[in-house]
Coordinates of all heavy atoms in Angstrom, one line a residue:
M8 N -15.5 -20.9 -11.6 CA -15.7 -20.5 -13.0 C -15.6 -19.0 -13.3 O -15.1 -18.6 -14.3 CB -17.1 -21.0 -13.5 CG -17.2 -22.5 -13.7 SD -18.8 -23.1 -14.4 CE -18.8 -22.3 -15.9
T9 N -16.1 -18.3 -12.3 CA -16.0 -16.8 -12.4 C -14.5 -16.4 -12.6 O -14.2 -15.6 -13.4 CB -16.7 -16.1 -11.3 OG1 -18.0 -16.5 -11.2 CG2 -16.6 -14.6 -11.4
R10 N -13.7 -16.9 -11.7 CA -12.3 -16.5 -11.6 C -11.7 -16.9 -13.0 O -10.9 -16.1 -13.6 CB -11.6 -17.2 -10.5 CG -10.1 -17.0 -10.4 CD -9.8 -15.6 -9.9 NE -8.4 -15.5 -9.8 CZ -7.7 -14.5 -10.2 NH1 -8.3 -13.5 -10.8 NH2 -6.4 -14.4 -10.1
D11 N -12.0 -18.1 -13.5 CA -11.4 -18.5 -14.8 C -11.9 -17.6 -15.9 O -11.1 -17.3 -16.8 CB -11.8 -19.9 -15.1 CG -11.1 -21.0 -14.2 OD1 -10.0 -20.6 -13.6 OD2 -11.5 -22.1 -14.2
A12 N -13.2 -17.2 -15.9 CA -13.7 -16.3 -16.9 C -13.0 -14.9 -16.9 O -12.6 -14.4 -18.0 CB -15.2 -16.1 -16.7
V13 N -12.7 -14.4 -15.7 CA -11.9 -13.1 -15.6 C -10.6 -13.3 -16.2 O -10.0 -12.4 -16.9 CB -11.9 -12.6 -14.1 CG1 -11.0 -11.5 -14.0 CG2 -13.3 -12.3 -13.7
V14 N -9.9 -14.4 -15.9 CA -8.6 -14.7 -16.4 C -8.6 -14.8 -17.9 O -7.7 -14.2 -18.6 CB -8.0 -16.0 -15.8 CG1 -6.7 -16.4 -16.5 CG2 -7.7 -15.8 -14.3
V15 N -9.6 -15.4 -18.5 CA -9.7 -15.6 -19.9 C -9.9 -14.2 -20.6 O -9.3 -13.9 -21.6 CB -10.9 -16.5 -20.3 CG1 -11.2 -16.4 -21.8 CG2 -10.6 -17.9 -20.0
V16 N -10.7 -13.3 -20.0 CA -10.9 -12.0 -20.5 C -9.5 -11.2 -20.5 O -9.2 -10.6 -21.5 CB -12.0 -11.2 -19.7 CG1 -11.9 -9.7 -20.0 CG2 -13.4 -11.7 -20.0
G17 N -8.8 -11.3 -19.4 CA -7.5 -10.7 -19.3 C -6.6 -11.2 -20.4 O -5.8 -10.5 -21.0
Q18 N -6.6 -12.5 -20.6 CA -5.7 -13.1 -21.6 C -6.1 -12.6 -23.0 O -5.2 -12.4 -23.9 CB -5.8 -14.6 -21.6 CG -5.2 -15.2 -20.4 CD -5.5 -16.7 -20.2 OE1 -6.5 -17.2 -20.7 NE2 -4.7 -17.4 -19.4
L19 N -7.4 -12.5 -23.3 CA -7.9 -11.9 -24.6 C -7.3 -10.5 -24.8 O -6.9 -10.2 -25.9 CB -9.4 -11.9 -24.7 CG -10.1 -13.3 -24.9 CD1 -11.6 -13.2 -24.7 CD2 -9.7 -13.8 -26.3
V20 N -7.5 -9.7 -23.7 CA -7.0 -8.3 -23.8 C -5.5 -8.3 -24.1 O -5.0 -7.6 -25.0 CB -7.4 -7.5 -22.6 CG1 -6.7 -6.2 -22.5 CG2 -8.8 -7.3 -22.5
A21 N -4.8 -9.0 -23.3 CA -3.3 -9.0 -23.4 C -2.8 -9.5 -24.7 O -2.0 -8.9 -25.4 CB -2.7 -9.8 -22.2
S22 N -3.4 -10.6 -25.2 CA -2.9 -11.2 -26.4 C -3.3 -10.4 -27.6 O -2.5 -10.2 -28.5 CB -3.5 -12.7 -26.6 OG -4.9 -12.7 -26.7
E23 N -4.5 -9.8 -27.6 CA -4.9 -9.0 -28.8 C -4.1 -7.6 -28.8 O -3.7 -7.2 -29.8 CB -6.4 -8.7 -28.7 CG -6.9 -8.0 -30.0 CD -6.7 -8.8 -31.3 OE1 -6.5 -10.0 -31.3 OE2 -6.6 -8.1 -32.4
R24 N -3.8 -7.1 -27.6 CA -3.0 -5.9 -27.5 C -1.7 -6.1 -28.1 O -1.1 -5.3 -28.9 CB -2.9 -5.4 -26.1 CG -2.0 -4.1 -25.9 CD -1.9 -3.7 -24.5 NE -1.3 -4.6 -23.6 CZ 0.1 -4.8 -23.5 NH1 0.9 -4.1 -24.3 NH2 0.6 -5.6 -22.7
R25 N -1.1 -7.2 -27.7 CA 0.3 -7.6 -28.2 C 0.3 -7.9 -29.7 O 1.2 -7.5 -30.4 CB 0.9 -8.7 -27.4 CG 1.2 -8.3 -26.0 CD 1.6 -9.5 -25.1 NE 1.7 -9.1 -23.7 CZ 1.8 -9.9 -22.7 NH1 1.8 -11.3 -23.0 NH2 1.9 -9.5 -21.5
R26 N -0.8 -8.6 -30.1 CA -0.9 -8.9 -31.5 C -0.9 -7.7 -32.4 O -0.3 -7.6 -33.5 CB -2.1 -9.8 -31.8 CG -2.1 -10.4 -33.2 CD -3.4 -11.1 -33.5 NE -4.5 -10.2 -33.7 CZ -4.7 -9.4 -34.7 NH1 -3.8 -9.3 -35.7 NH2 -5.7 -8.6 -34.8
Q27 N -1.6 -6.7 -31.9 CA -1.8 -5.4 -32.6 C -0.6 -4.5 -32.4 O -0.5 -3.4 -32.9 CB -3.0 -4.7 -32.2 CG -4.3 -5.4 -32.6 CD -5.6 -4.6 -32.2 OE1 -5.5 -3.4 -31.9 NE2 -6.7 -5.3 -32.2
R28 N 0.4 -5.0 -31.6 CA 1.6 -4.2 -31.3 C 1.3 -2.8 -30.6 O 2.0 -1.8 -30.9 CB 2.5 -4.1 -32.5 CG 2.9 -5.4 -33.1 CD 3.7 -5.4 -34.3 NE 5.0 -4.7 -34.0 CZ 6.1 -5.3 -33.6 NH1 6.0 -6.6 -33.3 NH2 7.3 -4.7 -33.4
R29 N 0.3 -2.8 -29.8 CA 0.0 -1.6 -29.0 C 0.7 -1.7 -27.7 O 0.7 -2.7 -27.0 CB -1.5 -1.5 -28.8 CG -2.3 -1.2 -30.0 CD -3.8 -1.1 -29.6 NE -4.5 -0.6 -30.7 CZ -5.8 -0.1 -30.6 NH1 -6.3 0.0 -29.4 NH2 -6.4 0.4 -31.6
T30 N 1.2 -0.5 -27.2 CA 1.8 -0.5 -25.9 C 0.7 -0.4 -24.8 O -0.5 0.0 -25.1 CB 2.7 0.7 -25.7 OG1 1.9 1.9 -25.8 CG2 3.8 0.7 -26.8
A31 N 1.0 -0.8 -23.6 CA 0.1 -0.7 -22.5 C -0.3 0.7 -22.3 O -1.5 1.0 -22.0 CB 0.7 -1.4 -21.2
A32 N 0.7 1.6 -22.4 CA 0.4 3.0 -22.2 C -0.6 3.6 -23.2 O -1.5 4.3 -22.9 CB 1.7 3.8 -22.2
E33 N -0.4 3.2 -24.5 CA -1.3 3.6 -25.6 C -2.7 3.1 -25.3 O -3.7 3.9 -25.4 CB -0.8 3.1 -26.8 CG -1.7 3.4 -28.0 CD -1.3 2.7 -29.3 OE1 -0.3 1.9 -29.3 OE2 -2.0 2.9 -30.3
L34 N -3.0 1.8 -25.0 CA -4.3 1.3 -24.8 C -4.9 1.9 -23.6 O -6.1 2.2 -23.6 CB -4.2 -0.2 -24.8 CG -5.6 -0.9 -24.6 CD1 -6.5 -0.5 -25.8 CD2 -5.4 -2.4 -24.5
A35 N -4.2 2.0 -22.5 CA -4.7 2.6 -21.3 C -5.2 4.0 -21.5 O -6.3 4.4 -21.1 CB -3.7 2.5 -20.2
E36 N -4.4 4.8 -22.2 CA -4.8 6.2 -22.5 C -6.1 6.2 -23.4 O -7.0 7.0 -23.1 CB -3.7 6.9 -23.2 CG -4.0 8.4 -23.5 CD -2.9 9.1 -24.2 OE1 -1.7 8.7 -24.1 OE2 -3.2 10.1 -24.8
R37 N -6.1 5.4 -24.4 CA -7.3 5.3 -25.3 C -8.5 4.9 -24.5 O -9.6 5.4 -24.8 CB -7.0 4.3 -26.4 CG -8.2 4.1 -27.3 CD -7.9 4.9 -28.6 NE -9.1 4.9 -29.4 CZ -9.6 4.0 -30.2 NH1 -8.9 2.9 -30.4 NH2 -10.7 4.1 -30.9
A38 N -8.4 4.0 -23.5 CA -9.5 3.6 -22.7 C -9.8 4.5 -21.5 O -10.9 4.4 -20.9 CB -9.2 2.2 -22.2
G39 N -9.0 5.5 -21.3 CA -9.2 6.4 -20.2 C -8.9 5.8 -18.8 O -9.6 6.2 -17.8
I40 N -8.0 4.8 -18.8 CA -7.7 4.2 -17.5 C -6.2 4.3 -17.3 O -5.4 4.7 -18.2 CB -8.1 2.7 -17.5 CG1 -7.4 1.9 -18.6 CG2 -9.6 2.6 -17.6 CD1 -7.7 0.4 -18.6
S41 N -5.8 3.9 -16.1 CA -4.4 3.9 -15.8 C -3.7 2.6 -16.3 O -4.4 1.6 -16.6 CB -4.1 4.0 -14.3 OG -4.5 2.8 -13.6
R42 N -2.4 2.7 -16.5 CA -1.7 1.5 -16.9 C -1.8 0.4 -15.9 O -1.9 -0.8 -16.1 CB -0.2 1.8 -17.2 CG 0.0 2.5 -18.5 CD 1.4 2.8 -18.9 NE 2.4 1.9 -18.4 CZ 3.7 2.2 -18.3 NH1 4.1 3.4 -18.7 NH2 4.6 1.4 -17.9
D43 N -1.9 0.8 -14.6 CA -2.1 -0.2 -13.5 C -3.5 -0.9 -13.6 O -3.5 -2.1 -13.5 CB -2.1 0.5 -12.1 CG -2.3 -0.4 -11.0 OD1 -1.5 -1.4 -10.8 OD2 -3.2 -0.3 -10.2
T44 N -4.5 -0.2 -14.0 CA -5.8 -0.8 -14.2 C -5.7 -1.8 -15.4 O -6.2 -2.9 -15.3 CB -6.9 0.2 -14.4 OG1 -7.0 1.0 -13.3 CG2 -8.3 -0.5 -14.7
L45 N -5.1 -1.4 -16.5 CA -4.9 -2.3 -17.6 C -4.1 -3.6 -17.2 O -4.5 -4.7 -17.5 CB -4.2 -1.6 -18.8 CG -3.8 -2.5 -20.0 CD1 -5.1 -3.1 -20.6 CD2 -3.0 -1.7 -21.0
Y46 N -3.1 -3.4 -16.4 CA -2.3 -4.5 -15.9 C -3.2 -5.5 -15.1 O -3.1 -6.7 -15.3 CB -1.1 -4.0 -15.0 CG -0.3 -5.1 -14.4 CD1 0.7 -5.7 -15.1 CD2 -0.7 -5.5 -13.1 CE1 1.5 -6.7 -14.4 CE2 0.1 -6.6 -12.5 CZ 1.1 -7.1 -13.2 OH 1.9 -8.1 -12.6
R47 N -4.0 -4.9 -14.3 CA -4.9 -5.7 -13.4 C -5.9 -6.5 -14.3 O -6.2 -7.6 -14.1 CB -5.7 -4.8 -12.4 CG -4.7 -4.3 -11.3 CD -5.3 -3.3 -10.4 NE -6.6 -3.6 -10.0 CZ -7.6 -2.7 -9.9 NH1 -7.4 -1.4 -10.3 NH2 -8.8 -3.0 -9.5
V48 N -6.4 -5.8 -15.4 CA -7.4 -6.6 -16.3 C -6.6 -7.7 -16.9 O -7.1 -8.8 -17.0 CB -7.9 -5.6 -17.4 CG1 -8.7 -6.4 -18.4 CG2 -8.8 -4.6 -16.7
E49 N -5.4 -7.4 -17.5 CA -4.7 -8.4 -18.2 C -4.2 -9.6 -17.3 O -4.0 -10.7 -17.8 CB -3.5 -7.8 -18.9 CG -3.8 -6.9 -20.1 CD -2.6 -6.4 -20.8 OE1 -1.5 -6.6 -20.4 OE2 -2.9 -5.9 -21.9
H50 N -4.2 -9.4 -16.0 CA -3.8 -10.4 -15.1 C -5.0 -11.1 -14.3 O -4.8 -11.8 -13.4 CB -2.7 -9.9 -14.2 CG -1.4 -9.7 -14.8 ND1 -1.1 -8.6 -15.5 CD2 -0.4 -10.6 -15.0 CE1 0.1 -8.7 -16.0 NE2 0.6 -9.9 -15.7
G51 N -6.2 -10.8 -14.8 CA -7.4 -11.4 -14.3 C -7.8 -11.0 -12.9 O -8.4 -11.8 -12.2
D52 N -7.6 -9.7 -12.6 CA -8.0 -9.2 -11.3 C -9.6 -9.1 -11.3 O -10.1 -8.3 -12.0 CB -7.4 -7.9 -11.0 CG -7.8 -7.3 -9.7 OD1 -8.8 -7.7 -9.0 OD2 -7.0 -6.4 -9.2
P53 N -10.3 -9.9 -10.4 CA -11.7 -9.8 -10.5 C -12.3 -8.6 -9.9 O -13.5 -8.4 -10.0 CB -12.1 -11.1 -9.6 CG -11.0 -11.3 -8.7 CD -9.8 -10.8 -9.5
T54 N -11.5 -7.7 -9.3 CA -12.1 -6.5 -8.7 C -12.2 -5.3 -9.7 O -12.8 -4.3 -9.4 CB -11.2 -6.0 -7.5 OG1 -10.0 -5.6 -7.9 CG2 -11.2 -7.1 -6.5
V55 N -11.7 -5.5 -10.9 CA -11.8 -4.4 -11.9 C -13.2 -4.5 -12.5 O -13.8 -5.5 -12.7 CB -10.8 -4.7 -13.1 CG1 -11.0 -3.7 -14.2 CG2 -9.4 -4.7 -12.6
A56 N -13.8 -3.2 -12.7 CA -15.2 -3.1 -13.2 C -15.3 -3.9 -14.5 O -14.5 -3.8 -15.4 CB -15.5 -1.7 -13.3
I57 N -16.4 -4.6 -14.6 CA -16.6 -5.4 -15.9 C -16.7 -4.5 -17.1 O -16.3 -4.8 -18.2 CB -17.9 -6.2 -15.7 CG1 -18.0 -7.2 -16.9 CG2 -19.2 -5.4 -15.6 CD1 -19.0 -8.3 -16.8
G58 N -17.3 -3.2 -16.9 CA -17.4 -2.3 -18.0 C -16.0 -1.9 -18.5 O -15.8 -1.7 -19.7
T59 N -15.0 -1.8 -17.7 CA -13.7 -1.5 -18.1 C -13.0 -2.6 -18.9 O -12.5 -2.4 -20.0 CB -12.8 -1.3 -16.8 OG1 -13.3 -0.2 -16.1 CG2 -11.3 -1.0 -17.2
A60 N -13.2 -3.9 -18.5 CA -12.7 -5.0 -19.2 C -13.4 -5.1 -20.6 O -12.8 -5.3 -21.6 CB -12.9 -6.3 -18.4
L61 N -14.7 -4.9 -20.6 CA -15.5 -5.0 -21.9 C -15.1 -3.9 -22.8 O -14.9 -4.1 -24.0 CB -16.9 -5.0 -21.6 CG -17.5 -6.2 -20.9 CD1 -19.0 -6.1 -20.7 CD2 -17.2 -7.5 -21.6
E62 N -14.8 -2.7 -22.3 CA -14.4 -1.5 -23.1 C -13.1 -1.8 -23.8 O -12.8 -1.5 -24.9 CB -14.3 -0.3 -22.3 CG -13.9 1.0 -23.0 CD -14.9 1.4 -24.1 OE1 -16.0 1.0 -24.1 OE2 -14.4 2.2 -25.0
L63 N -12.1 -2.4 -23.1 CA -10.9 -2.8 -23.6 C -11.0 -3.8 -24.8 O -10.4 -3.6 -25.8 CB -10.0 -3.4 -22.5 CG -9.5 -2.4 -21.5 CD1 -8.9 -3.1 -20.3 CD2 -8.4 -1.4 -22.1
L64 N -11.9 -4.8 -24.6 CA -12.1 -5.7 -25.7 C -12.7 -5.0 -26.9 O -12.3 -5.3 -28.0 CB -13.0 -6.8 -25.2 CG -12.4 -7.8 -24.2 CD1 -13.5 -8.7 -23.6 CD2 -11.3 -8.6 -24.7
V65 N -13.7 -4.1 -26.7 CA -14.2 -3.4 -27.8 C -13.2 -2.5 -28.5 O -13.1 -2.6 -29.7 CB -15.4 -2.5 -27.3 CG1 -15.9 -1.5 -28.4 CG2 -16.6 -3.4 -26.9
L66 N -12.4 -1.8 -27.7 CA -11.3 -1.0 -28.3 C -10.3 -1.8 -29.2 O -9.8 -1.4 -30.2 CB -10.5 -0.3 -27.3 CG -11.3 0.9 -26.6 CD1 -10.5 1.5 -25.4 CD2 -11.6 2.0 -27.6
L67 N -10.1 -3.1 -28.8 CA -9.2 -4.0 -29.5 C -9.9 -4.7 -30.6 O -9.2 -5.4 -31.4 CB -8.6 -4.9 -28.5 CG -7.6 -4.4 -27.5 CD1 -7.3 -5.3 -26.4 CD2 -6.3 -3.9 -28.2
G68 N -11.2 -4.5 -30.8 CA -12.0 -5.2 -31.8 C -12.3 -6.6 -31.6 O -12.6 -7.4 -32.5
V69 N -12.3 -7.1 -30.3 CA -12.6 -8.4 -30.0 C -14.1 -8.6 -29.9 O -14.7 -7.8 -29.1 CB -11.9 -8.9 -28.7 CG1 -12.4 -10.3 -28.3 CG2 -10.4 -8.7 -28.7
P70 N -14.7 -9.4 -30.7 CA -16.2 -9.5 -30.6 C -16.6 -10.1 -29.3 O -16.0 -11.0 -28.7 CB -16.6 -10.5 -31.7 CG -15.3 -11.1 -32.2 CD -14.2 -10.3 -31.7
L71 N -17.7 -9.5 -28.7 CA -18.1 -9.9 -27.4 C -19.3 -10.9 -27.5 O -19.1 -12.0 -27.1 CB -18.7 -8.6 -26.6 CG -17.6 -7.5 -26.4 CD1 -18.3 -6.4 -25.7 CD2 -16.5 -8.1 -25.6
F72 N -20.4 -10.5 -28.1 CA -21.5 -11.3 -28.1 C -22.0 -11.5 -29.6 O -22.5 -12.5 -30.0 CB -22.7 -10.8 -27.3 CG -22.3 -10.6 -25.9 CD1 -21.9 -9.3 -25.4 CD2 -22.1 -11.6 -25.0 CE1 -21.5 -9.1 -24.1 CE2 -21.7 -11.4 -23.7 CZ -21.4 -10.2 -23.3
A73 N -21.9 -10.4 -30.3 CA -22.3 -10.4 -31.7 C -21.1 -9.8 -32.5 O -20.3 -9.2 -32.0 CB -23.5 -9.6 -31.9
T74 N -21.1 -10.1 -33.8 CA -20.0 -9.7 -34.6 C -20.1 -8.2 -35.1 O -19.2 -7.7 -35.7 CB -19.7 -10.6 -35.8 OG1 -20.9 -10.7 -36.5 CG2 -19.3 -12.0 -35.3
D75 N -21.4 -7.7 -34.9 CA -21.6 -6.3 -35.4 C -22.6 -5.6 -34.5 O -23.2 -6.2 -33.7 CB -22.0 -6.3 -36.9 CG -23.4 -7.0 -37.1 OD1 -24.1 -7.2 -36.1 OD2 -23.7 -7.3 -38.2
A76 N -22.7 -4.3 -34.7 CA -23.6 -3.5 -33.9 C -25.0 -3.9 -34.0 O -25.8 -3.9 -33.0 CB -23.4 -2.0 -34.2
D77 N -25.4 -4.2 -35.3 CA -26.8 -4.7 -35.5 C -27.1 -5.9 -34.7 O -28.2 -6.1 -34.1 CB -27.1 -4.8 -36.9 CG -27.1 -3.5 -37.7 OD1 -27.4 -2.5 -37.1 OD2 -26.9 -3.5 -38.9
G78 N -26.2 -6.9 -34.8 CA -26.4 -8.1 -34.0 C -26.5 -7.9 -32.5 O -27.3 -8.6 -31.9
L79 N -25.7 -7.0 -32.0 CA -25.7 -6.7 -30.6 C -27.0 -6.1 -30.2 O -27.7 -6.4 -29.2 CB -24.5 -5.9 -30.2 CG -24.3 -5.7 -28.7 CD1 -24.2 -7.0 -27.9 CD2 -23.1 -4.8 -28.4
A80 N -27.5 -5.1 -31.1 CA -28.8 -4.5 -30.9 C -29.9 -5.5 -30.9 O -30.8 -5.4 -30.0 CB -29.0 -3.4 -31.9
R81 N -29.8 -6.5 -31.7 CA -30.9 -7.6 -31.8 C -30.8 -8.3 -30.5 O -31.9 -8.7 -29.9 CB -30.7 -8.5 -33.0 CG -31.2 -7.9 -34.3 CD -31.2 -8.9 -35.4 NE -29.9 -9.4 -35.7 CZ -29.0 -8.9 -36.5 NH1 -29.3 -7.8 -37.1 NH2 -27.9 -9.5 -36.8
Q82 N -29.6 -8.6 -30.0 CA -29.5 -9.4 -28.7 C -30.1 -8.6 -27.5 O -30.8 -9.1 -26.7 CB -28.0 -9.7 -28.4 CG -27.6 -10.9 -29.2 CD -26.2 -11.2 -28.8 OE1 -25.2 -10.4 -29.0 NE2 -25.9 -12.4 -28.4
V83 N -29.8 -7.3 -27.5 CA -30.4 -6.4 -26.5 C -31.9 -6.4 -26.6 O -32.6 -6.5 -25.5 CB -29.9 -4.9 -26.6 CG1 -30.6 -4.0 -25.7 CG2 -28.4 -4.9 -26.3
A84 N -32.5 -6.3 -27.8 CA -33.9 -6.3 -27.9 C -34.5 -7.6 -27.5 O -35.5 -7.7 -26.8 CB -34.3 -5.9 -29.4
S85 N -33.9 -8.7 -27.8 CA -34.3 -10.0 -27.4 C -34.3 -10.2 -25.9 O -35.2 -10.7 -25.3 CB -33.5 -11.1 -28.1 OG -33.9 -12.4 -27.7
G86 N -33.3 -9.7 -25.3 CA -33.2 -9.7 -23.9 C -34.3 -8.9 -23.2 O -34.8 -9.3 -22.2
R87 N -34.6 -7.7 -23.7 CA -35.6 -6.9 -23.2 C -37.0 -7.6 -23.3 O -37.8 -7.5 -22.4 CB -35.7 -5.6 -23.9 CG -34.6 -4.6 -23.5 CD -34.8 -3.3 -24.1 NE -33.7 -2.4 -23.7 CZ -33.0 -1.6 -24.5 NH1 -33.4 -1.5 -25.8 NH2 -32.0 -0.9 -24.1
Q88 N -37.2 -8.3 -24.4 CA -38.5 -9.0 -24.6 C -38.6 -10.1 -23.6 O -39.7 -10.3 -23.0 CB -38.6 -9.5 -26.0 CG -38.8 -8.5 -27.1 CD -38.7 -9.0 -28.5 OE1 -38.3 -10.2 -28.7 NE2 -39.1 -8.2 -29.5
L89 N -37.5 -10.8 -23.4 CA -37.6 -11.9 -22.4 C -37.8 -11.4 -21.0 O -38.7 -11.9 -20.3 CB -36.3 -12.7 -22.5 CG -36.1 -13.8 -21.4 CD1 -37.2 -14.9 -21.6 CD2 -34.7 -14.4 -21.4
L90 N -37.1 -10.3 -20.6 CA -37.3 -9.8 -19.3 C -38.7 -9.2 -19.1 O -39.3 -9.2 -18.0 CB -36.3 -8.7 -19.0 CG -34.9 -9.2 -18.8 CD1 -33.9 -8.0 -18.8 CD2 -34.8 -10.0 -17.5
A91 N -39.3 -8.7 -20.2 CA -40.7 -8.2 -20.1 C -41.7 -9.3 -19.8 O -42.7 -9.1 -19.2 CB -41.1 -7.5 -21.4
L92 N -41.4 -10.5 -20.1 CA -42.3 -11.7 -19.9 C -42.1 -12.2 -18.4 O -43.0 -12.9 -18.0 CB -42.0 -12.8 -20.9 CG -42.2 -12.5 -22.3 CD1 -41.7 -13.6 -23.2 CD2 -43.7 -12.2 -22.6
L93 N -41.0 -11.9 -17.8 CA -40.8 -12.5 -16.5 C -41.2 -11.5 -15.4 O -41.2 -10.2 -15.6 CB -39.3 -12.7 -16.3 CG -38.7 -13.7 -17.3 CD1 -37.2 -13.9 -17.2 CD2 -39.3 -15.2 -17.0
P94 N -41.5 -11.9 -14.2 CA -41.9 -11.0 -13.1 C -40.7 -10.1 -12.7 O -39.6 -10.5 -12.8 CB -42.3 -12.0 -12.0 CG -41.6 -13.2 -12.3 CD -41.5 -13.3 -13.7
D95 N -41.1 -8.9 -12.3 CA -40.1 -8.0 -11.8 C -39.4 -8.4 -10.5 O -38.2 -8.2 -10.3 CB -40.6 -6.5 -11.6 CG -41.0 -5.9 -12.9 OD1 -40.4 -6.2 -13.9 OD2 -41.9 -5.0 -12.9
R96 N -40.2 -9.0 -9.7 CA -39.7 -9.5 -8.4 C -39.8 -11.0 -8.3 O -40.7 -11.6 -8.8 CB -40.5 -8.8 -7.3 CG -40.2 -7.3 -7.3 CD -40.9 -6.7 -6.1 NE -40.8 -5.3 -6.3 CZ -41.1 -4.4 -5.3 NH1 -41.6 -4.9 -4.2 NH2 -41.0 -3.1 -5.5
V97 N -38.9 -11.5 -7.5 CA -39.0 -13.0 -7.3 C -39.1 -13.2 -5.8 O -38.4 -12.6 -5.0 CB -37.7 -13.7 -7.8 CG1 -37.7 -15.1 -7.5 CG2 -37.5 -13.4 -9.3
R98 N -40.0 -14.0 -5.4 CA -40.2 -14.4 -4.0 C -39.3 -15.5 -3.6 O -39.1 -16.4 -4.5 CB -41.7 -14.7 -3.7 CG -42.5 -13.5 -3.8 CD -44.0 -13.9 -3.4 NE -44.8 -13.3 -4.4 CZ -45.9 -13.9 -5.0 NH1 -46.3 -15.0 -4.6 NH2 -46.5 -13.3 -5.9
P99 N -38.8 -15.5 -2.4 CA -38.0 -16.7 -2.0 C -38.8 -18.0 -2.0 O -40.0 -18.0 -1.8 CB -37.6 -16.4 -0.5 CG -38.0 -15.0 -0.3 CD -39.0 -14.6 -1.4
D100 N -38.2 -19.1 -2.4 CA -38.8 -20.4 -2.4 C -39.0 -20.9 -1.0 O -38.0 -21.1 -0.3 CB -37.9 -21.3 -3.2 CG -38.6 -22.6 -3.5 OD1 -39.8 -22.8 -3.0 OD2 -38.1 -23.4 -4.3
T101 N -40.3 -21.0 -0.6 CA -40.5 -21.4 0.8 C -40.9 -22.9 0.9 O -41.3 -23.4 1.9 CB -41.7 -20.6 1.4 OG1 -42.8 -20.7 0.5 CG2 -41.3 -19.1 1.5
R102 N -40.9 -23.6 -0.3 CA -41.2 -25.0 -0.3 C -40.2 -25.8 0.5 O -39.0 -25.4 0.5 CB -41.4 -25.5 -1.7 CG -42.5 -24.9 -2.4 CD -42.5 -25.4 -3.8 NE -41.3 -24.9 -4.5 CZ -41.1 -24.9 -5.8 NH1 -42.0 -25.4 -6.6 NH2 -40.0 -24.3 -6.3
K103 N -40.6 -26.8 1.1 CA -39.7 -27.8 1.8 C -39.2 -28.8 0.7 O -39.9 -29.0 -0.3 CB -40.4 -28.5 2.9 CG -40.8 -27.6 4.0 CD -41.5 -28.3 5.1 CE -41.9 -27.4 6.2 NZ -43.3 -27.4 6.4
P104 N -38.0 -29.3 0.9 CA -37.4 -30.2 -0.1 C -38.3 -31.4 -0.4 O -38.3 -31.9 -1.6 CB -36.1 -30.7 0.6 CG -35.7 -29.6 1.5 CD -37.1 -29.0 2.0
D105 N -39.2 -31.8 0.5 CA -40.0 -33.0 0.2 C -41.4 -32.6 -0.4 O -42.1 -33.5 -0.7 CB -40.2 -33.9 1.3 CG -39.7 -33.5 2.7 OD1 -38.8 -32.7 2.7 OD2 -40.2 -33.9 3.7
D106 N -41.6 -31.3 -0.6 CA -42.9 -30.9 -1.2 C -43.0 -31.4 -2.6 O -42.0 -31.3 -3.3 CB -43.1 -29.4 -1.1 CG -43.3 -28.9 0.3 OD1 -43.6 -29.7 1.2 OD2 -43.3 -27.7 0.5
D107 N -44.2 -31.8 -3.0 CA -44.4 -32.2 -4.3 C -44.5 -31.0 -5.2 O -45.1 -30.0 -4.8 CB -45.6 -33.1 -4.5 CG -45.5 -34.5 -3.9 OD1 -44.3 -35.0 -3.8 OD2 -46.5 -35.0 -3.4
F108 N -44.2 -31.1 -6.4 CA -44.3 -29.9 -7.3 C -45.6 -30.0 -8.0 O -46.1 -30.5 -8.7 CB -43.1 -29.8 -8.3 CG -41.8 -29.4 -7.6 CD1 -41.0 -30.4 -7.1 CD2 -41.5 -28.1 -7.5 CE1 -39.8 -30.1 -6.5 CE2 -40.3 -27.8 -6.9 CZ -39.5 -28.7 -6.4

């Protein structure tokens, strides 16, 4: 699933870049990356930093999680609230498969 997700992100970048009639050189320069890195993102290379791929989507105007900055800020706040309720550390599960819960 991870590999497929990376490929989908690359397809989104490539298709939106072409739809907007932007050259690879132009988008790469705007993102501060090499054309080779852009090529790798567009072809689903899983070794490219996730921040790079997300930055390309943002530069192209592709919505990531929310359709606006306020919505994304609300998601960040909600995530922080959830994480505040959960323990900072998780201990390994030492129960045996036949232990009752």
